[in-house]
Amino acid sequence: MESTAKKNYTLPIIMMVALFFMISFVTGLQNPFGIIVKNQFAASNFMSQLGNAANFIAYAFMGIPAGMLLQKIGYKKTALLAIIVGFCGVGISYLSGVAGSYAVYLTGAFVSGFSMCMLNTVVNPMLNTLGGGGNKGNQLIQVAGSVNSIGATIVPVLVGYLIGDAAKAQISDANPALFLAMGIFAIVFIVLLSMQIPEPHMVKEDKAKTPDKHSALSFRHFILGAIAIFLYVGVEVGIPNFMNLFATSPEIGIDPTVAGSIVGTYWFLMMIGRLFGASFGAKISSKAMLSSAATVGMIFILIAIFAPATTKVSMPVFLSDISFGMVEVPVGIMFMALCGLCTSIMWGGIFNLAVEGLGKYTAAASGIFMVMVCGGGILPLIQGAVADAGGFITSFWVVFLGLAYLLYYALIGSKNVNKDIPVE
């Protein structure tokens, strides 16, 4: 009976992995769209990041409600609702191309962000449950995480190819990518609607709870960890976004298709890093992993800041025909791309350190973490303002300071100084 049940869950597992792909694909659209809106609407670097900001700031609004939805209506209905919202968000992005409207574009990015937050909230625990929990559930999440990285790798390469000439870029150029996203959403919706899925986390309790005077926010190392997640997501997104803008700027003049390939290579290196993290995570402490990644990342960013743009190197990149090729780029851009290896393993390390010793407060802490993902929108906005004031290279000091805080958190801030609080 058990094997039949597991066999029956093969299709929903595939659908959840497809949604993991969609999270990165739809989120990743904002990277090449930064180049499009900058050219189509003569936007500043700050304005070019507003779509990305709208996508991530939606997490601040939806993180906690998404967790409550999961408990109230269950995995299946929350996932279906998220897919509908995602379909509408991508549809609005398409309409922004038809209308040639920057405001409609921002609305689409914001609506898409609501969907991505809801999907993030549901997909991880759902895969864990469908896999039966434990090692099998964790393994499924790692597999889905790698597929997530593939989505992030493909989208800048695909849209960079569709854009062609950056000086003539229009949102409508990206229509094939938007239609692909809407098609996948529609297929997953139809399949999930017809499936039976276990719902172990729905809450039906009327009993009065005695108020707890403590919460996840009573722990200093958790508060500092929440700040670390906020900065980490901002760094992870800011590096490829501004690498793309810098590479396609008149100062460097790299073709958008090639620049998209370099950004795709950043996300491809993140996938390699995640596979490494999944393989060796049990043998290396979160503290050692995070401190090492932050240190190497800081060194790479310093090289990127100080290396002369005239010094060129040939680097292998992930091309639009899903192969590797060599392109000549300034050495600084190569080191920006290499940062993907560092950012890949940071989320798990920060999360593990921040929830260490939280016991019964861990679930609430996870909801707060989802809210702090909005850093992926806010930090690039700050970086955009710095880029407008002092140039692209100067803006990477924002990234450097973010990495410096992550190093501080790994070495000092992650220590639990509130062990007197009962957590059982």
Side-chain angles (χ1 to χ4, degrees), residues 95-379:
L95 291 175
S96 73
V98 175
S101 167
Y102 182 70
V104 175
Y105 157 70
L106 287 182
T107 305
F110 191 62
V111 173
S112 294
F114 276 120
S115 171
M116 296 310 101
C117 180
M118 292 164 74
L119 287 176
N120 258 314
T121 307
V122 74
V123 167
N124 284 286
M126 194 172 186
L127 270 175
N128 193 46
T129 301
L130 292 172
N135 291 340
K136 175 69 174 165
N138 183 46
Q139 188 181 25
L140 271 180
I141 292 172
Q142 295 297 343
V143 170
S146 298
V147 173
N148 178 275
S149 294
I150 292 169
T153 302
I154 288 171
V155 71
V157 179
L158 172 63
V159 181
Y161 171 74
L162 293 171
I163 290 171
D165 184 357
K168 298 174 184 170
Q170 301 282 313
I171 290 173
S172 55
D173 294 338
N175 281 352
L178 300 177
F179 294 151
L180 175 65
M182 292 166 79
I184 295 173
F185 274 141
I187 292 165
V188 176
F189 182 89
I190 293 164
V191 175
L192 266 187
L193 192 63
S194 63
M195 299 299 303
Q196 285 295 319
I197 289 165
E199 300 282 4
H201 294 299
M202 284 182 72
V203 176
K204 293 176 184 170
E205 49 180 316
D206 302 316
K207 55 185 180 185
K209 285 185 180 175
T210 52
D212 193 336
K213 63 178 180 177
H214 294 296
S215 72
L217 296 172
S218 303
F219 296 82
R220 191 195 75 152
H221 75 289
F222 172 70
I223 294 173
L224 294 177
I227 295 168
I229 279 291
F230 178 90
L231 293 173
Y232 157 69
V233 183
V235 164
E236 180 205 53
V237 173
I239 293 170
N241 280 15
F242 282 87
M243 179 171 67
N244 205 351
L245 287 168
F246 178 48
T248 54
S249 67
E251 184 183 347
I252 304 298
I254 293 175
D255 179 84
T257 307
V258 177
S261 300
I262 299 167
V263 174
T265 302
Y266 169 89
W267 294 109
F268 180 79
L269 290 172
M270 274 197 78
M271 182 178 73
I272 300 298
R274 281 174 175 169
L275 292 171
F276 172 85
S279 305
F280 298 99
K283 300 169 189 169
I284 305 170
S285 74
S286 295
K287 184 174 180 176
M289 200 177 272
L290 180 59
S291 57
S292 302
T295 303
V296 174
M298 288 166 71
I299 293 167
F300 285 173
I301 291 299
L302 283 176
I303 294 171
I305 289 171
F306 289 110
T310 51
T311 306
K312 304 281 181 78
V313 290
S314 285
M315 69 173 278
V317 297
F318 190 81
L319 297 170
S320 55
D321 61 356
I322 319 299
S323 68
F324 284 97
M326 302 298 287
V327 298
E328 191 175 66
V329 298
V331 69
I333 287 178
M334 183 183 76
F335 276 96
M336 291 172 193
L338 284 171
C339 285
L341 286 169
C342 305
T343 53
S344 62
I345 53 176
M346 287 179 170
W347 173 281
I350 297 167
F351 187 87
N352 287 348
L353 290 169
V355 301
E356 183 72 33
L358 259 59
K360 64 181 178 180
Y361 302 111
T362 302
S366 298
I368 295 168
F369 258 59
M370 202 48 72
V371 171
M372 298 309 281
V373 168
C374 70
I378 294 169
L379 211 67

